[in-house]
Amino acid sequence: MDQEYERRLLRQINHQNLPSKACLTKVRSRESLGAACSPVSVKSGDRFIPTRAGSNWSINFHYANENCRSPSQNYKAKDAGSDSGKDAVAYAALLRNELLGAGIDSVPDPHGDDRRHAVLTQDSRGLFRYTVHTKRVPFDSDNEVSPYSLSPLSNKSHKLLRSPRKPARKISKIPFKVLDAPELQDDFYLNLVDWSAGNLLSVGLGACVYLWSACTSQVTRLCDLSVDGDSVTSVCWNERGSLVSVGTHKGYVQIWDAAGGRKLTSLEGHSARVGALAWNGEQLSSGSRDRVILQRDVRTPPSAERRLQGHRQEVCGLKWSPDHQHLASGGNDNKLLVWNSSSLLPVQQYSDHLAAVKAIAWSPHQHGLLASGGGTADRCLRFWNTLTGQALQSTDTGSQVCNLAWSKHANELVSTHGYSQNQILVWKYPSLTQVAKLTGHSYRVLYLAVSPDGEAIVTGAGDETLRFWNVFSKTRCTKESKSVLNLFTRIR
């Protein structure tokens, strides 16, 4: 080796070893090696000693677990209510117990909103802890593992694995009943299916309205408008389930007594088809293609009516709030309007949707919470606080939103969709995670109604079928066994 090259190499090595000598002198003065050298930002060859003094291991571990998937994967790919989802949650809790000493002794709810809060509020602890147990608990205690156990897991982890797990909620992917519905129109702006408090389903097929009893499966024809050259464009039951209102293509609103099978009255006032109806006690609201909403009391003469004018195109959605104080209306002008019971002008107007607003639903759990869905060009579910007029959350569903309905038992809602996926989605609010996705209709799922007990839904589509699903059911097994006998029935 060249002597000059060897001399330069030795000089460079001696220069690089200077920080190490400084560290050794500090070690001799009773300073730790890691504490003295870690903060020094001087290169020391190929060795790198990271500084972890300020790290919060529990938070880092939690966020690494949370952020390993994209939001779209969190939202679509995995159902947290499934067995695999719960196993993943249990495994993550077990790792936190063994690595971080989290002390978790029960499997957290995958759908719970307090999981992140629970982890963040834990005490900040080091990764390695050395403790001496001075007090021993008898091995037969519930909180202690046998001293002769060969398991490497801690007591908390054993309790975690022994903790009872909630049974996974399983929503059947197939309908428990299918009815043929010939001449059920494939028209986005109509509302042709409704379920009464008396467990009667009313369906508008062509020029006729049929009633189907969910108790006896008996089908009766209520009315036939073909005599007058008219057709059915909407149906709606009153709250008691005794009267059914029928909107027609010529702009009439007929009131029928379901038990007696007779027409009580026929209301005029609209100059075009009536596609939306909504009852509020003894008052009936009707929305039409003539852009007008009429409110009438069926106990008073037809002349006593209120005309609400705010939409610039056809009114296709109407829903009264659970407290009977506010009416929400949606139109083909992409507007969502909120009216009170006294003013002739809308008290609130929302213009965020980019397509027709037919899907409207008031939450029965939170006062003033309103949900709405837009058509093909919008595809979004949006939530509104009508008490303050503020927009809350929104999510892109990926397809046309045709109908919305809230569960009576839980903070969940179901939406039906058209172009392009024709699916039925169950959502958990406010996390807006998908609980279930149901398919089966070959056309747009334009019609939706909820059973009076709030456990089942019926959907209708242009494929001329009505399908019954146990979505919010608590007594799913009993109901399915009862409905297996008469699976297919044709409405005549």
Side-chain angles (χ1 to χ4, degrees):
M1 182 182 294
D2 184 29
Q3 293 184 356
E4 183 65 25
Y5 173 75
E6 183 177 2
R7 192 180 303 108
R8 287 201 310 269
L9 182 63
L10 289 176
R11 189 183 306 116
Q12 182 178 2
I13 294 175
N14 292 335
H15 178 72
Q16 290 181 351
N17 287 338
L18 287 177
S20 301
K21 294 178 181 179
C23 291
L24 289 174
T25 57
K26 292 188 177 181
V27 168
R28 290 167 186 169
S29 60
R30 298 184 182 182
E31 298 263 341
S32 70
L33 178 63
C37 295
S38 293
V40 179
S41 59
V42 181
K43 293 183 180 180
S44 54
D46 59 347
R47 294 195 62 194
F48 172 70
I49 303 177
T51 302
R52 297 190 177 98
S55 298
N56 190 328
W57 289 93
S58 60
I59 294 180
N60 293 345
F61 181 85
H62 175 73
Y63 278 116
N65 223 10
E66 289 283 328
N67 297 333
C68 61
R69 294 178 298 172
S70 66
S72 60
Q73 289 173 323
N74 262 340
Y75 155 80
K76 291 181 180 178
K78 202 172 196 179
D79 181 7
S82 64
D83 290 337
S84 60
K86 288 195 172 184
D87 289 343
V89 174
Y91 180 65
L94 189 66
L95 286 181
R96 281 198 287 269
N97 274 357
E98 296 305 309
L99 297 179
L100 312 175
I104 303 173
D105 55 8
S106 61
V107 181
D109 183 11
H111 286 304
D113 295 328
D114 56 343
R115 287 178 56 212
R116 182 186 296 263
H117 177 71
V119 174
L120 291 180
T121 53
Q122 292 176 359
D123 294 335
S124 177
R125 302 173 179 176
L127 180 61
F128 302 105
R129 293 180 297 130
Y130 301 91
T131 57
V132 178
H133 295 282
T134 58
K135 184 178 179 180
R136 299 292 296 176
V137 183
F139 68 88
D140 58 345
S141 171
D142 291 337
N143 297 323
E144 185 73 18
V145 183
S146 169
Y148 305 105
S149 173
L150 299 179
S151 173
L153 300 181
S154 64
N155 302 332
K156 290 290 185 180
S157 296
H158 277 281
K159 191 173 181 181
L160 170 70
L161 296 176
R162 290 196 301 263
S163 64
R165 294 177 56 180
K166 293 182 179 179
R169 177 183 175 188
K170 296 186 181 299
I171 297 178
S172 177
K173 301 294 183 180
I174 59 174
F176 66 85
K177 186 181 287 291
V178 178
L179 301 179
D180 288 340
E183 298 185 63
L184 184 63
Q185 297 188 53
D186 184 28
D187 193 326
F188 176 80
Y189 299 99
L190 306 186
N191 293 274
L192 298 175
V193 178
D194 198 19
W195 208 328
S196 77
N199 218 8
L200 285 176
L201 187 71
S202 60
V203 186
L205 302 178
C208 301
V209 175
Y210 292 91
L211 303 181
W212 177 80
S213 172
C215 301
T216 64
S217 295
Q218 182 180 359
V219 179
T220 57
R221 188 173 65 182
L222 179 66
C223 65
D224 187 352
L225 306 182
S226 61
V227 179
D228 302 323
D230 210 346
S231 61
V232 180
T233 53
S234 57
V235 294
C236 185
W237 289 94
N238 68 343
E239 295 176 4
R240 297 180 181 178
S242 57
L243 302 178
V244 58
S245 56
V246 179
T248 74
H249 185 78
K250 291 185 176 181
Y252 296 103
V253 177
Q254 299 180 0
I255 310 297
W256 286 78
D257 177 13
R262 60 191 181 93
K263 182 170 66 175
L264 302 181
T265 184
S266 181
L267 304 175
E268 301 177 356
H270 289 292
S271 59
R273 70 179 183 185
V274 179
L277 295 167
W279 286 87
N280 185 27
E282 300 298 331
Q283 292 185 349
L284 177 62
S285 302
S286 56
S288 170
R289 183 183 268 180
D290 62 9
R291 304 171 294 178
V292 176
I293 301 172
L294 294 182
Q295 280 187 267
R296 292 171 278 207
D297 194 319
V298 297
R299 301 166 297 181
T300 60
S303 58
E305 65 182 21
R306 295 176 63 232
R307 297 177 65 88
L308 306 179
Q309 295 179 314
H311 288 283
R312 296 183 178 180
Q313 293 191 39
E314 180 174 6
V315 180
C316 51
L318 282 178
K319 285 292 170 61
W320 277 95
S321 61
D323 61 359
H324 307 285
Q325 298 300 314
H326 293 90
L327 173 68
S329 65
N332 197 34
D333 56 358
N334 310 346
K335 298 292 191 296
L336 174 66
L337 306 182
V338 178
W339 316 76
N340 61 22
S341 55
S342 58
S343 175
L344 295 179
L345 296 176
V347 294
Q348 291 175 2
Q349 176 174 320
Y350 304 104
S351 306
D352 292 7
H353 284 291
L354 304 177
V357 182
K358 177 192 176 186
I360 302 172
W362 293 89
S363 171
H365 310 292
Q366 294 176 253
H367 181 61
L369 176 60
L370 178 63
S372 61
T376 308
D378 183 71
R379 306 176 306 178
C380 289
L381 281 181
R382 299 184 183 275
F383 297 84
W384 318 90
N385 183 349
T386 60
L387 302 180
T388 62
Q390 293 178 340
L392 299 177
Q393 296 152 280
S394 66
T395 183
D396 189 343
T397 65
S399 56
Q400 178 187 42
V401 185
C402 301
N403 275 290
L404 285 173
W406 287 86
S407 167
K408 298 179 182 180
H409 307 300
N411 210 9
E412 297 176 347
L413 71 161
V414 59
S415 59
T416 66
H417 300 267
Y419 300 126
S420 60
Q421 301 183 35
N422 306 329
Q423 80 271 37
I424 303 159
L425 300 178
V426 183
W427 306 84
K428 188 173 184 65
Y429 186 82
S431 61
L432 294 184
T433 55
Q434 284 187 21
V435 180
K437 178 180 179 179
L438 309 176
T439 57
H441 285 288
S442 56
Y443 281 68
R444 296 181 294 173
V445 189
L446 297 176
Y447 311 110
L448 169 69
V450 183
S451 63
D453 59 6
E455 296 183 351
I457 63 171
V458 59
T459 57
D463 55 11
E464 298 186 345
T465 62
L466 296 174
R467 298 173 185 264
F468 294 78
W469 315 80
N470 277 318
V471 174
F472 307 122
S473 178
K474 295 181 179 179
T475 56
R476 179 166 51 253
C477 297
T478 306
K479 291 227 166 189
E480 282 187 359
S481 62
K482 288 182 179 179
S483 61
V484 161
L485 298 178
N486 188 13
L487 186 60
F488 294 93
T489 305
R490 187 172 184 85
I491 298 181
R492 302 186 186 278

